[in-house]
Amino acid sequence: MAFSFLIRKKSTKSFPVKVITLDAELEFNLEWRATGRDLFDLVCRTIGLRETWYFGLQYQDSKGFMSWLKLDKKVHDQGIPQQIPTTFNFLVKFYPEDVSEELVQEVTQHLFYLQVKQAILRMDIYCPPEASVLLASYAVQAKYGDYDETSYQPGLLASEDLLPQRVIDQYQMTPEMWEDRIKIWYADHKTMSRDEAEMEYLKVAQDLDMYGVNYFDISNKKETNLWLGVTALGLNIYEKENKLAPKTTFAWSEIRHISFDDKKFIIKPVDKTSPNFVFFSQKVRMNKLILDLCIGNHDLFMRRRKPDSMEVQQMKAQAKEERSRRQIERNKL
Amino acid sequence: NTRSSGYHQKALAEIRNSLLPFANSGG
């Protein structure tokens, strides 16, 4: 009797959910029947995010596969692991073509900045040494504000996690020597606000070859292992030993149809005289994820080629107003 | 305060040159 009561109670009540963003941990109680969209909207409202279309809630499903929560399905119907609280990472899922043209709100830019910086420092994105130093100088400006020669404590930067380890290992330089180089550029960013420095960071980072690419392990008909890269602009095919320069690219505008059948994935070009590109992935689950990313990126690609919606126009006007107001305040100071 | 891509290209070239003498052999 008690047992059946417990089950009934569970099915009508709520369950604890933890959502980890790159700068906060949020805890909610979600109704048992809540959809992915209910949770996603709750997170966006809580952090004041309106440019919601770039983001998603990521989790490892009960089979250990990385998944994005579907918005139109119940949270509980998506193979989430039986852990308490149920935990999701709120992350950038789609990238714009140009950060400075498209990202409007400060909170959006900040979340992009944190995620891209983490990917560079973890070496998920290859970053050449010179770009690593320049990026570090913007990261320092964003964190500490203007360089001040009189109050600057030598060693401050040397102790920070500012450069990818691979870059440090490539040179015979002491921490102080790295600090000196970063400092030269840090000093050059004087008067830049946090959001300006973070935007400059993103402007440099978006030129890196691996920025904004979702890589998948695939093979072609000849069983040659390759990488498929899904990006804001289209699909890239890379040779296994070179994730930087694609061997072939398909812009979204050149693709007529994308589909999969079990482990086989088919890309049909607009030009009907061109052959279809067929590849194989290791799991159907992976093909589902690839298709989901293709659809999302293609939607955004099409949307960018139309006039801004009323909501985006308002958001841009508000952001512009807010920035000029702050600029006037800073000038007064 | 926004930086042009020209600024960034120049900065990257200058940093590259300043690091050059310290590269590990084969680096």
Side-chain angles (χ1 to χ4, degrees):
Chain A
M1 189 66 190
F3 184 62
S4 64
F5 170 73
L6 272 176
I7 288 181
R8 191 151 50 86
K9 193 175 173 194
K10 193 178 170 190
S11 67
T12 53
K13 293 278 173 156
S14 56
F15 62 102
V17 173
K18 181 153 91 177
V19 176
I20 302 167
T21 77
L22 279 164
D23 66 354
E25 278 194 17
L26 312 169
E27 285 180 18
F28 303 105
N29 264 317
L30 213 55
E31 267 190 48
W32 200 252
R33 57 169 187 258
T35 62
R37 185 172 303 284
D38 293 330
L39 177 59
F40 184 75
D41 289 349
L42 194 56
V43 175
C44 293
R45 272 203 309 276
T46 307
I47 62 175
L49 180 82
R50 289 173 66 194
E51 292 167 282
T52 56
W53 42 88
Y54 298 113
F55 297 86
L57 287 163
Q58 201 182 65
Y59 65 103
Q60 290 235 324
D61 71 13
S62 43
K63 289 177 183 155
F65 198 84
M66 192 282 287
S67 305
W68 291 100
L69 192 71
K70 288 189 183 64
L71 300 189
D72 52 350
K73 280 175 77 174
K74 280 185 192 167
V75 173
H76 262 294
D77 291 345
Q78 303 194 42
I80 50 173
Q82 298 292 317
Q83 66 182 100
I84 297 171
T86 309
T87 306
F88 298 96
N89 288 300
F90 186 82
L91 292 169
V92 172
K93 183 177 179 185
F94 301 109
Y95 290 79
E97 285 171 47
D98 183 344
V99 283
S100 60
E101 284 287 317
E102 293 169 54
L103 302 186
V104 180
Q105 283 192 292
E106 243 182 85
V107 56
T108 317
Q109 291 170 15
H110 186 58
L111 290 173
F112 266 84
Y113 163 76
L114 293 174
Q115 190 164 327
V116 172
K117 181 158 76 90
Q118 187 182 70
I120 289 170
L121 293 177
R122 283 183 180 175
M123 300 185 282
D124 295 334
I125 295 178
Y126 170 75
C127 185
E130 60 275 18
S132 301
V133 170
L134 185 58
L135 291 176
S137 69
Y138 282 124
V140 173
Q141 178 71 22
K143 183 168 177 183
Y144 294 105
D146 289 350
Y147 172 71
D148 179 358
E149 211 174 348
T150 53
S151 64
Y152 181 81
Q153 304 252 324
L156 175 79
L157 303 184
S159 62
E160 289 257 345
D161 185 19
L162 289 171
L163 298 166
Q165 192 57 43
R166 183 187 30 75
V167 168
I168 296 169
D169 295 343
Q170 263 176 283
Y171 294 88
Q172 286 175 356
M173 285 171 59
T174 61
E176 292 70 31
M177 288 163 81
W178 285 112
E179 178 173 18
D180 284 346
R181 270 150 192 84
I182 296 170
K183 210 167 66 182
I184 292 168
W185 296 95
Y186 170 32
D188 209 43
H189 307 326
K190 235 176 202 171
T191 76
M192 229 178 234
S193 65
R194 186 190 84 160
D195 67 306
E196 284 167 344
E198 290 184 352
M199 180 47 81
E200 293 305 321
Y201 185 103
L202 289 171
K203 279 163 61 180
V204 175
Q206 73 178 352
D207 288 337
L208 301 174
D209 292 311
M210 292 174 74
Y211 164 94
V213 186
N214 274 290
Y215 291 94
F216 295 93
D217 211 341
I218 59 159
S219 57
N220 63 12
K221 281 186 211 163
K222 294 176 196 160
E223 293 186 19
T224 308
N225 288 330
L226 301 164
W227 292 109
L228 169 78
V230 187
T231 79
L233 292 170
L235 296 173
N236 297 337
I237 310 292
Y238 304 82
E239 280 169 351
K240 200 68 195 189
E241 57 285 350
N242 184 356
K243 269 179 149 178
L244 300 181
K247 197 175 70 153
T248 316
T249 62
F250 300 94
W252 294 122
S253 52
E254 293 164 8
I255 298 173
R256 181 164 51 96
H257 193 250
I258 291 176
S259 59
F260 70 87
D261 179 8
D262 197 31
K263 292 175 187 170
K264 184 177 170 183
F265 204 97
I266 307 143
I267 302 168
K268 292 183 179 165
V270 171
D271 177 3
K272 288 184 181 168
T273 59
S274 302
N276 292 345
F277 182 78
V278 176
F279 65 81
F280 299 86
S281 68
Q282 295 146 348
K283 288 190 176 99
V284 186
R285 191 71 195 74
M286 191 193 275
N287 273 344
K288 283 185 184 167
L289 176 56
I290 295 170
L291 189 67
D292 175 47
L293 290 173
C294 287
I295 294 169
N297 273 299
H298 181 260
D299 284 351
L300 290 176
F301 179 88
M302 299 303 283
R303 199 202 289 189
R304 278 192 288 268
R305 278 146 188 83
K306 290 179 191 155
D308 284 340
S309 69
M310 196 55 98
E311 189 198 0
V312 172
Q313 284 182 41
Q314 280 174 350
M315 225 187 288
K316 282 186 175 170
Q318 270 174 12
K320 200 173 160 192
E321 214 170 275
E322 176 68 14
R323 284 197 179 108
S324 65
R325 189 185 59 76
R326 263 184 297 166
Q327 187 62 45
I328 292 166
E329 266 173 29
R330 275 217 305 272
N331 290 347
K332 272 188 208 161
L333 285 170
Chain B
N1 265 334
T2 58
R3 253 71 192 273
S4 65
S5 61
Y7 173 90
H8 286 147
Q9 290 313 317
K10 194 167 163 280
L12 292 171
E14 277 182 39
I15 299 168
R16 197 179 302 126
N17 287 336
S18 81
L19 296 177
L20 218 51
F22 305 98
N24 283 327
S25 51

